[in-house]
Amino acid sequence: LGFGIKEEFDALISSSKQIFITMPAKAAGTTWMKFTKECVGSPVLNESACINKWNCESEWLKSTTLHSNYVNQVKAPQIVASHLTSDKTLIRIIRNSNTHTLIIYQHREETDRLVSAIKHVVQRSHREILFDGTKNLLAEEKLIKLIKSKKDEIGQGQDKILTCDTYDAMKETSPNMIFMNYKHSDRLQKILSKHYCPERLAMDAVRENDFKKKKLTFLVKLPSINNSSGAVVDFHEWLEGKRYMIEWALDMRADATCRSKTKHLENKIFGCSDKAFEVAKNEEN
């Protein structure tokens, strides 16, 4: 499916009675949860259960609250948007989906997602990795240790969600499931607005990014070598210089499974700028 095939996608949306919009960290999840709340009033987060708001799945998706949420409201929300923190939640949605369920997975290429997550986590946790307590000066050794620990959003990527178990569930269940480039969120908002909240059609697309609201500037202090003072470089320059080696150097994807299937999907999702969707049940190779 592509955005150019509006009639086909409109029909898919209109025929779906329940829509789940899911994504890893740093793939427009905050934007989607805000849009969903404004569009259909879906419950989004249980603030008291969140840790710094980074690992909050919708209460409608948590196994510990599924029953209580279902009985506490007369009508379940038609659209539920949520970050995913593991494959378990997505597998549960897939295995329990029916012919009226549509699952939309917002995808972001993992290296790009990882770099964004590192920037976000450093913004929030920079005090833990300062060089001798100096304001906004990060110690390189501590920074690398933080990244390798997969703290918060850094470790909430596709490798924990798109696993062999996930692909097995897709093959066994053949759900109505769409993989979507997260950059096309604006277009999807318009299509959903048409069917669920037409009053939003004249409004700008929702765009929420906590990172931009609290952006700080950092420098990185490199280690001293041969009694010489270590150099100081801009954090973003440091990170960009290591962008394509960081996963290998820190063995970040050692536990990933079935990556060939994910790459197969990515080749089709990112292969054409206007081709935003791929139906999962057609991806069995």
Side-chain angles (χ1 to χ4, degrees):
L1 291 174
F3 276 112
I5 314 174
K6 292 183 179 179
E7 296 81 6
E8 187 175 351
F9 189 63
D10 270 1
L12 184 59
I13 292 292
S14 63
S15 64
S16 301
K17 306 300 182 183
Q18 180 67 62
I19 298 176
F20 293 97
I21 303 175
T22 62
M23 70 292 295
K26 308 309 297 176
T30 303
T31 290
W32 273 109
M33 288 187 285
K34 183 176 181 181
F35 168 82
T36 301
K37 190 172 184 179
E38 291 183 4
C39 182
V40 296
S42 296
V44 178
L45 302 175
N46 175 4
E47 297 292 344
S48 62
C50 297
I51 303 174
N52 294 324
K53 300 184 179 180
W54 68 267
N55 64 345
C56 300
E57 293 183 350
S58 168
E59 287 297 286
W60 279 88
L61 302 187
K62 291 182 179 179
S63 60
T64 56
T65 56
L66 286 176
H67 179 71
S68 61
N69 276 321
Y70 186 77
V71 300
N72 282 342
Q73 298 188 32
V74 175
K75 185 178 180 180
Q78 292 176 289
I79 306 175
V80 175
S82 178
H83 290 106
L84 297 174
T85 57
S86 73
D87 60 351
K88 293 181 176 59
T89 300
L90 183 56
I91 290 171
R92 186 166 63 245
I93 296 172
I94 291 171
R95 291 198 182 283
N96 291 284
S97 64
N98 54 55
T99 56
H100 304 291
T101 304
L102 174 63
I103 305 166
I104 299 174
Y105 181 86
Q106 288 229 133
H107 188 72
R108 184 173 185 176
E109 191 276 324
E110 180 60 17
T111 301
D112 187 53
R113 189 212 67 80
L114 175 63
V115 169
S116 177
I118 291 170
K119 293 176 182 178
H120 193 94
V121 172
V122 167
Q123 287 283 328
R124 187 171 58 237
S125 305
H126 64 276
R127 292 180 181 83
E128 303 173 13
I129 56 175
L130 294 177
F131 179 80
D132 289 342
T134 304
K135 184 178 180 181
N136 293 358
L137 181 61
L138 311 177
E140 185 180 44
E141 301 98 323
K142 294 180 180 179
L143 174 57
I144 292 174
K145 186 176 180 180
L146 177 93
I147 296 170
K148 190 172 184 178
S149 72
K150 300 183 180 180
K151 182 179 175 67
D152 300 349
E153 290 98 334
I154 295 173
Q156 302 302 324
Q158 65 170 249
D159 294 340
K160 291 189 67 175
I161 300 167
L162 300 181
T163 64
C164 285
D165 288 342
T166 301
Y167 288 115
D168 286 345
M170 288 161 52
K171 186 173 183 179
E172 293 168 5
T173 310
S174 192
N176 298 318
M177 186 171 180
I178 292 171
F179 282 78
M180 168 187 159
N181 186 338
Y182 86 106
K183 291 183 178 180
H184 293 303
S185 293
D186 289 6
R187 297 184 187 183
L188 183 57
Q189 283 186 36
K190 288 294 184 183
I191 297 173
L192 290 171
S193 294
K194 175 184 175 181
H195 294 280
Y196 292 97
C197 47
E199 69 279 1
R200 284 203 53 85
L201 285 172
M203 302 180 187
D204 292 335
V206 174
R207 291 179 183 175
E208 191 74 7
N209 190 328
D210 291 336
F211 173 70
K212 290 184 178 180
K213 293 179 182 178
K214 52 186 178 183
K215 188 173 181 180
L216 300 174
T217 301
F218 299 105
L219 297 173
V220 178
K221 179 70 166 63
L222 306 185
S224 300
I225 301 177
N226 297 328
N227 297 320
S228 63
S229 178
V232 174
V233 298
D234 177 76
F235 166 62
H236 291 285
E237 180 183 346
W238 180 91
L239 187 57
E240 284 302 313
K242 303 182 187 313
R243 172 186 282 264
Y244 300 110
M245 285 286 282
I246 198 165
E247 290 160 301
W248 170 81
L250 302 182
D251 204 15
M252 301 291 286
R253 310 190 74 169
D255 298 326
T257 61
C258 286
R259 285 189 62 197
S260 63
K261 292 181 180 293
T262 300
K263 287 182 178 179
H264 182 62
L265 281 171
E266 286 181 333
N267 288 339
K268 296 199 172 185
I269 295 171
F270 302 137
C272 176
S273 61
D274 195 48
K275 192 172 184 179
F277 305 105
E278 280 297 317
V279 181
K281 61 186 177 183
N282 291 333
E283 301 299 326
E284 296 186 358
N285 297 322

